[in-house]
Amino acid sequence: MSLFDYFDQVFSDYTLRTITLGTAVLGAACGMLGSFAVLRKQSLLGDAISHAALPGIALAFLITGTKDTNLLLMGALISGLIGTFWIRGIIKKTHLKTDTALGLILSLFFGFGMLLLTFIQKQPNANQAGLDKYLFGQAATLVESDVTLMIFVTLMCALVLLLFWKEFKILLFDADFTKTLGFNTRFIDILITFFIVLAIVLGLQTVGVVLMSALLLAPAAAARQWTNRLSSMILLAALFGAFSGVFGTAISASQNNLSTGPVIVLVAAVFVLISFVFSPGRGLLFRELRFRQNRRDLQLKKTLQLMHSIAKTHDDISHPHAIRILNNFQGFTKRSLQKMEEKQWITLQQHHWSLTEKGYFAAENMFNETTHDESTN
């Protein structure tokens, strides 16, 4: 199946439509909530929560004896919340840093989860087969009820964001100021964390424990490169996440032996790469272009100042001077002379140059600004 065939069949085929809609909604929810994790500098939180959810899945199976998706995800949610509050407790009650607490909970819960999975696999009950799909995800198992739950949770997240928008925004950028305004910062913080945990748990079935943090952070990291506004960042992150889900599913379905979860994460990584290179404000390409432009402007101004100092030795600023007296000057290039002539700072006559009135005043202004800066320092 080619990509064109996939998009042609996506609206008529139940399985393709369900998986595509589910991954798109999941990507949008992760993009929205991942923005808060990125801005709060808690990028490892998603990784820790997703790994902390694994023992909850295994325990839910051991207790119930069934592979009911809702029960397994409920166990993952409880386990993820326990891991989250343990992280908060370690940070507040001890002298350990945030990254240390995240690493401890991640390794502890994931190790315990793998131990339980190993134990389950050795049981004589055939129902445990396929339980390890939560490690790497299996989008093909999505059904309409799963997608409905994702849509409901995503809409609920959007509603909560609208209701507590002011509180979330203030808390993100100045927690101490939020306290002075009388807001309950602990409640707001717990609310954000709860929805992040909820989004991660919903994505375990599709992307898996190992890759879930990437889907949470990649769209937000990409969106951060394009804007400085929180609202714009959340919207862009949701779009990047949704497109990652759609195109990742399309590529996976059109090729043989490609898992959907990893492909979605790779597509999200492509969005990050493109954003890092081509975004106008922070992109590496435009940063390099601005650097070169600034360097050319600096060379231009240094050459003009040298010309000004030479021209001041004559009563007539339009007195012609040979170009060769500039050859030993580091900022001089033939291109810089052409640019200065375009700006009408100088006139060129064969191998001679002379300052214009406009160039003289431009040089005087630069000299005055330099003198002022040196005096203030």
Side-chain angles (χ1 to χ4, degrees):
M1 180 190 298
S2 66
L3 285 176
F4 296 104
D5 293 334
Y6 172 85
F7 286 109
D8 185 51
Q9 298 177 21
V10 70
F11 294 104
S12 58
D13 188 281
Y14 168 81
T15 303
L16 293 181
R17 183 175 66 250
T18 302
I19 296 174
T20 304
L21 183 58
T23 53
V25 172
L26 176 65
C30 288
M32 283 193 302
L33 296 168
S35 300
F36 292 96
V38 169
L39 293 176
R40 296 169 74 195
K41 299 179 180 180
Q42 294 180 339
S43 299
L44 281 176
L45 180 63
D47 206 19
I49 294 172
S50 61
H51 285 72
L54 184 60
I57 295 172
L59 286 173
F61 174 77
L62 287 173
I63 293 172
T64 61
T66 62
K67 288 201 307 176
D68 183 84
T69 302
N70 293 329
L71 293 176
L72 296 181
L73 292 182
M74 183 60 67
L77 178 61
I78 295 173
S79 181
L81 289 173
I82 291 174
T84 303
F85 287 111
W86 278 21
I87 292 171
R88 292 168 56 90
I90 291 173
I91 296 172
K92 290 185 177 181
K93 303 295 182 181
T94 67
H95 297 288
L96 297 177
K97 300 291 185 180
T98 302
D99 57 344
T100 306
L102 290 171
L104 283 173
I105 295 302
L106 185 153
S107 55
L108 174 64
F109 275 68
F110 188 66
F112 182 48
M114 290 302 298
L115 180 65
L116 290 175
L117 283 182
T118 304
F119 173 76
I120 292 172
Q121 291 295 335
K122 293 181 179 180
Q123 297 299 307
N125 185 1
N127 287 332
Q128 79 269 15
L131 193 63
D132 55 353
K133 71 182 181 183
Y134 288 97
L135 284 175
F136 301 102
Q138 191 173 352
T141 61
L142 286 176
V143 294
E144 193 171 343
S145 60
D146 298 327
V147 177
T148 303
L149 179 62
M150 289 180 181
I151 295 174
F152 173 75
V153 171
T154 303
L155 292 176
M156 189 167 59
C157 290
L159 179 61
V160 171
L161 283 178
L162 291 175
L163 291 176
F164 294 92
W165 176 254
K166 179 174 63 177
E167 292 83 351
F168 287 157
K169 193 173 182 179
I170 298 174
L171 181 65
L172 274 178
F173 299 106
D174 197 334
D176 294 331
F177 180 62
T178 309
K179 289 181 180 179
T180 61
L181 293 177
F183 292 114
N184 189 340
T185 56
R186 184 177 181 183
F187 170 75
I188 300 171
D189 185 44
I190 291 175
L191 193 60
I192 296 175
T193 305
F194 172 76
F195 278 105
I196 291 175
V197 174
L198 194 57
I200 290 172
V201 169
L202 287 177
L204 293 179
Q205 185 179 358
T206 306
V207 182
V209 167
V210 178
L211 298 174
M212 188 58 219
S213 63
L215 184 60
L216 185 74
L217 301 176
R224 184 67 183 92
Q225 303 303 307
W226 295 91
T227 182
N228 290 321
R229 293 177 59 87
L230 178 60
S231 56
S232 301
M233 178 181 173
I234 291 176
L235 180 60
L236 282 175
L239 290 175
F240 288 153
F243 279 118
S244 298
V246 171
F247 286 109
T249 304
I251 294 172
S252 174
S254 60
Q255 303 294 326
N256 294 325
N257 301 322
L258 284 182
S259 298
T260 305
V263 176
I264 291 174
V265 171
L266 288 177
V267 173
V270 170
F271 278 111
V272 174
L273 181 62
I274 293 174
S275 300
F276 281 175
V277 175
F278 296 105
S279 62
R282 298 182 176 86
L284 297 178
L285 176 62
F286 287 93
R287 186 184 301 174
E288 180 65 21
L289 292 176
R290 285 194 299 270
F291 171 76
R292 294 191 179 190
Q293 181 62 43
N294 291 336
R295 185 170 62 182
R296 285 194 294 267
D297 290 343
L298 180 61
Q299 290 177 346
L300 213 64
K301 292 178 179 179
K302 287 170 65 177
T303 305
L304 180 62
Q305 285 185 334
L306 176 64
M307 290 177 163
H308 175 260
S309 63
I310 295 173
K312 283 179 66 176
T313 60
H314 298 79
D315 294 334
D316 184 8
I317 62 170
S318 62
H319 177 78
H321 298 276
I323 291 177
R324 58 182 172 79
I325 65 176
L326 302 173
N327 287 339
N328 295 327
F329 180 61
Q330 186 176 3
F332 163 72
T333 61
K334 291 184 178 180
R335 177 62 181 160
S336 63
L337 288 182
Q338 295 174 359
K339 293 292 290 184
M340 294 169 71
E341 188 178 28
E342 292 173 3
K343 291 178 176 289
Q344 299 180 350
W345 287 352
I346 63 171
T347 57
L348 293 176
Q349 297 176 351
Q350 295 183 348
H351 298 291
H352 291 80
W353 60 268
S354 57
L355 276 181
T356 64
E357 290 285 345
K358 185 176 181 180
Y360 182 81
F361 285 119
E364 282 287 325
N365 289 334
M366 280 189 285
F367 179 78
N368 293 333
E369 290 176 3
T370 303
T371 305
H372 176 71
D373 292 340
E374 291 177 351
S375 63
T376 54
N377 292 333

